[in-house]
Amino acid sequence: MAGLELLTDQGYRLDGRKASELRKFQARMGVFAQADGSAYLEQGNTKALAVVYGPHEIRGSRSRALHDRAVINCQYSMATFSTAERKRRPHGDRKSTEMSLHLKQTFEAAVMTQLFPRSQIDIYVKILQSDGGNYSVCVNAATLAVIDAGIPMRDYVCACTVGFVDETPLADLCYAEESGGVSSLALALLPRGGQIALVQMDARLHQDHLETLIEAAMTACKGVSKVLDEVVRQHLQEASVHSRE
Amino acid sequence: GKVLPGDLTHYVVPDAGVVLNYLDVLELTELQGVVFTQTACEALRSKGRFYNHLRNLLKDPRHDCILFANEFQTYSHCPREKGESQETWQTCVYAAAVWFYNHLAGAMKVVMITEDQDAVARFGSLNSGVFVISVQQDYLQNFWPDLQEAHEVYRNISQVLQEKESEDSQREFSEHLPAEIVEAGIKSGRYLKGTLNVNRYRAQSEAFVTNEEFSNKSPLINGVLVFGFKSRNRAVHGDLVAVELLPKSKWRGRGTALAEGPLDENSGEDGESNPLPTHIVGILQRNWRDYVVTFPPRDGNQNQSRGSQRILAVPWDQRIPKIRISTQQADALQDHRVLVRIDSWPSNSLYPNGHSVRVLGRVGDMETEVQTILLENSINVPPFSEAQQLREMPAQPWTVDPTEVAKRRDLRDTHLVFSIDPRGCEDVDDAMSVRSLGDGLLELGVHIADVTHFVREGSLTDLEARSRATTYYLADRRYDMLPAVLSADLCSLLGGVDYAMSVLWELDAQSLAYKDVWFGRTLIRSSYQLHYELAQALLNGEEAPVPELAQLDPKERAAKLSELTAALEKLTLVARHLRAQRDQGGALELEGLEVKALADSLDQAVDPEDPLVNRLLRMMATQAMSQALYFSTGSQPDHQFYHYLALDRYTHFTSPIRRYADMVVHRLLTAALQVGQEAEPARKLEGNKDLEELAEHINTRNRAAKQAQTQSVALFQYLFFKERDPQTDPRCVADSIIYAIRDNGVLVLVPRYGVKGPVYMKTKTGEVVTAGPDGTCEWQSGTVQRHPDHIVTTCGCGSTTFRLFDHITVRISVLPSNCHADTLKLEVISNKPHRSSAPQRPDSQGRSQLVQEVVRLAEEAQEKAAQRPKLSKWEREFQQSRAPNLYSILEEIRELALM
């Protein structure tokens, strides 16, 4: 039995997308009243909720405070019902710790932390439904939440996973593609300057293909940034209408 | 992608059921404008049958069919209704057809075909511009009333389907295990995975499962045994299967019954290793292809099955089981060879079910037999289509394009270019030149036809050439890789201006040491087309008429002739020098050592009284060597490929007209030449993976070409002797030489006809051959004893010894076999060499006469002598080392042994 045909001869993927097509975005900002910033994002069937508190004083031990910039604290978790198999997911398991760390690195690169010395920014992200590209959806959701909180950032941070099949890069992988033996790469980009906040890849890939893959990832991230921008502008418009009333 | 032509009367959309069952009808090229829906393809894929077949069909530019991804189209997608299975999801196909019709704005009629009468009733009256009709009654009869082939295939398949439904369920075989269990078993080591190889000589009982992995693990185990038809469990030769070891109680040794089995070339020495007995639990991948079968002559026994429509046909390949075929033409097809496809092998059936695809012809006709050989080797050589022949070829008469002239180095006026080929050769793909540059330098040029200029990568001609991969030479004909316009005219370096790919070496005129080399595309004008005899005559200083000079006046002719002769002499000098250099070089290289030692020992193994002995030894030495293969250098680490031909790197590009591999090399070379320049290559070069696949394809094609050639030679030998009465015709008695000893006989070569075959010394009833005092042999009861180098037959009146390399006289007669390839039977009539009154003819002549004779007998007007792929002598001298390498030995032997 041959494996799944990830890319047909006609250039369609399993879910009918073309190779460089992104999944459908659905987003809302400001979903919680008590948090400083929050956002809900659906990318295809992957759904994430991000909440931001801060900047505020360092809670707990004061020794963690940095004298010249803010500390970013990230926490990633997955809902028990987020995957096909219902499973209790305790906090602080290896996978989520790693993911939290990645998120922290990404946002340290993007948030202008030097404006808030000796303070702390908390970013909590929860995956409600997981269908591939968890990291990128979390980054995108968190970006929206940080913007909602009004914390200054250098630029949007946009992330996207790309995979490589039949010499073609596939943008924004879904779960079936991720688990179908594709070597995938996750990339977080500050699109205006083209700076890369984070690249992560733990599959085998020939060196020759890396450049095309990163190229494709950056294009996809720029696409994501356009969508996010639209979401933010829409939200602002709605908010201003509300406040005028 | 492909686009459907606009000049059709309608487009046809088959539903899932039709695609599943009647793909054979749809794949006829005559049916144009087929739109496969994604729904149908997915249904096919979920069944796992013929999905790749369909994919290839969609890729093939010769078929007018496309895939419509209807499930991905917003307006044509409709959700599956509850309880609707994938195969009967007609709504979706119908919606797709309607969308398609509207999309074309009604400009083209769209016909949906289905086998489901309900669907016809449901959708037919919706009246949205799409016709919904059934395949047979409405579609084929109304739209294709003349396409008999389609009707025939349709009938065959529907009959098979009907029978499948009404099959009684008596088990003949155990069920195959589900795929997951087999996969898990293979991982845990309980089952082994491998390819099934059926023993050609004991096809009913013995088969082996081989796998590269086990032969790597230990050289002793080269496969496991699958004994008996039942434990083979419906696997067919070539399938990828999973096997399980049998419990110890069922173990038994491998049949060592050489006495009853026919002699085969390989079963000599391997009696010691006893492979482990196993049985097949699952089939991972069917490798069914289309098989040639013979319909048996009708006799009373076949009538018992109901309707008497089911015939057990016997495949030409002994390794394939009989195939049950349902047909209404059983009477008409008696003694015909037919191409069939296996449909299924249910566990309640002793034989697989199949349906006929194409009738080849009557058994014994030359055309039928040649077609059989081609098909059995999977050689598909339809005539070149109009598109390939005309549309892609430059307009005739062809003229040199000035823009090309600017890009190429012009050698027309500066170089004296000529070609040397066998007499009557039509496709001249290499030519050479030599000239003195002054300053003690000599320039040697080899010019190869620039085929890739005419055949653009990815064009139809290129695709066809790629799928053929090589020109096929059979005993009496050949199938060209490229259309005749190219191979015989445009690309041939005949007189006139030609595009060429040239290599120019600068050599020191005295020492002939290598100075510099230049590769590139050029423009040449071949001045002479010589053949070997003529070139030799010119070298010897004999008076020989050169056709190109016949018109000139004597003075001019003499001047030109001396110029040509000087060039030839220089070339000969260079050739001798290179050969001498290679002889030295061969001894120095480590990996060359073995080769040279072998070549030397072969050179010394000469029996002064018998030149044949040396030839036989060489032939046997080559048989033991493995065939050279193409591969992509990127796919193997460097140290894996140095030893081919005792050279560091080796490739060839001298015959692009008849070898696709050479075209690939040409393209690579062109790309390499362009790297330095500004211009980017027009197309991306093929990646390593593609090249590897291509090399693998070319290898299988080459193997098939070789096999087909051997088989066609055997066929002609058979046809030649079929016409003779062995008892009276003196030509059926010939001298032969023993080259191998087996338990119950010897293997001999008949040099006169190039026939190789077994001679039995013992019959099944226990009679043995004994020679009388005058050498004549008779059959008497006795025993046979085998020794390493001789075989002794003993009977009441004494014993006779046959030694290796003895000459004996044999009588050649035919052993007709209705269903398989016919063979020749050799009978010993005397243990003395045959003294014929007629002088012995050289082999190659004898053979070409044999072929001609057969062709004449078959009332073929065309008389074509055997054409083997010929490596020109000059090419061999310039391109390859000569004496001590395997390649030349192989070439020589091929010529001598008439393979």
Side-chain angles (χ1 to χ4, degrees), chain B residues 626-695:
Chain B
S626 59
Q627 186 81 42
L629 294 174
Y630 294 108
F631 66 96
S632 158
T633 48
S635 64
Q636 307 267 346
D638 272 9
H639 60 86
Q640 294 244 316
F641 57 85
Y642 59 83
H643 52 269
Y644 299 105
L645 275 179
L647 293 171
D648 276 354
R649 300 284 152 87
Y650 177 81
T651 188
H652 54 63
F653 77 134
T654 49
S655 304
I657 296 181
R658 58 182 173 80
R659 286 195 296 239
Y660 193 77
D662 291 19
M663 284 175 60
V664 175
V665 176
H666 273 234
R667 289 197 178 119
L668 289 173
L669 180 58
T670 316
L673 288 172
Q674 279 175 350
V675 163
Q677 296 167 8
E678 294 300 307
E680 281 288 303
R683 256 179 90 101
K684 237 179 108 184
L685 278 176
E686 291 189 312
N688 197 16
K689 203 177 121 207
D690 294 327
L691 270 185
E692 218 173 315
E693 269 171 28
L694 182 60

Side-chain angles (χ1 to χ4, degrees), chain B residues 502-528:
Chain B
S502 298
V503 189
L504 297 173
W505 288 275
E506 269 178 34
L507 303 175
D508 189 297
Q510 295 306 312
S511 63
L512 296 177
Y514 161 82
K515 295 278 188 205
D516 198 10
V517 64
W518 180 87
F519 290 92
R521 294 190 137 161
T522 54
L523 211 54
I524 60 162
R525 172 178 282 137
S526 174
S527 314
Y528 305 99

Side-chain angles (χ1 to χ4, degrees), chain B residues 329 480 559 749 854:
Chain B
Q329 296 174 299
D480 287 321
L749 168 79
V854 173

Side-chain angles (χ1 to χ4, degrees), chain A residues 1 3-5 8-10 12-17 166-167, chain B residues 45-46 48 51 55 58-59 67 69 72 179 183 284 684 689:
Chain A
M1 272 284 167
L4 279 172
E5 196 179 24
T8 63
D9 298 328
Q10 285 74 27
Y12 287 109
R13 289 157 65 177
L14 289 172
D15 46 10
R17 281 184 288 160
D166 295 341
E167 316 275 307
Chain B
R45 184 159 77 165
S46 67
Y51 177 62
R55 272 180 67 178
L58 288 166
K59 274 189 218 159
L67 178 76
F72 294 156
E183 285 293 335
L284 300 167
K684 237 179 108 184
K689 203 177 121 207

Side-chain angles (χ1 to χ4, degrees), chain B residues 537-555:
Chain B
L538 286 174
L539 271 180
N540 296 348
E542 290 164 21
E543 203 46 45
V546 178
E548 283 87 347
L549 298 178
Q551 314 288 316
L552 298 174
D553 62 84
K555 209 169 154 193

Side-chain angles (χ1 to χ4, degrees), chain B residues 28-92:
Chain B
L28 295 171
T29 17
E30 287 85 351
L31 287 185
Q32 290 172 313
V34 183
V35 179
F36 289 104
T37 54
Q38 187 189 8
T39 315
C41 291
E42 289 299 321
L44 193 64
R45 184 159 77 165
S46 67
K47 288 275 174 188
R49 286 167 54 198
F50 302 123
Y51 177 62
N52 281 331
H53 212 86
L54 178 62
R55 272 180 67 178
N56 292 337
L57 210 62
L58 288 166
K59 274 189 218 159
D60 193 333
R62 289 169 291 193
H63 287 273
D64 284 322
C65 58
I66 55 161
L67 178 76
F68 174 39
N70 62 318
E71 290 177 31
F72 294 156
Q73 222 288 342
T74 325
Y75 303 107
S76 68
H77 174 264
C78 54
R80 206 190 295 186
E81 279 164 33
K82 222 170 184 183
E84 225 173 359
S85 74
Q86 204 170 13
E87 290 102 82
T88 55
W89 192 8
Q90 254 109 10
T91 358
C92 196

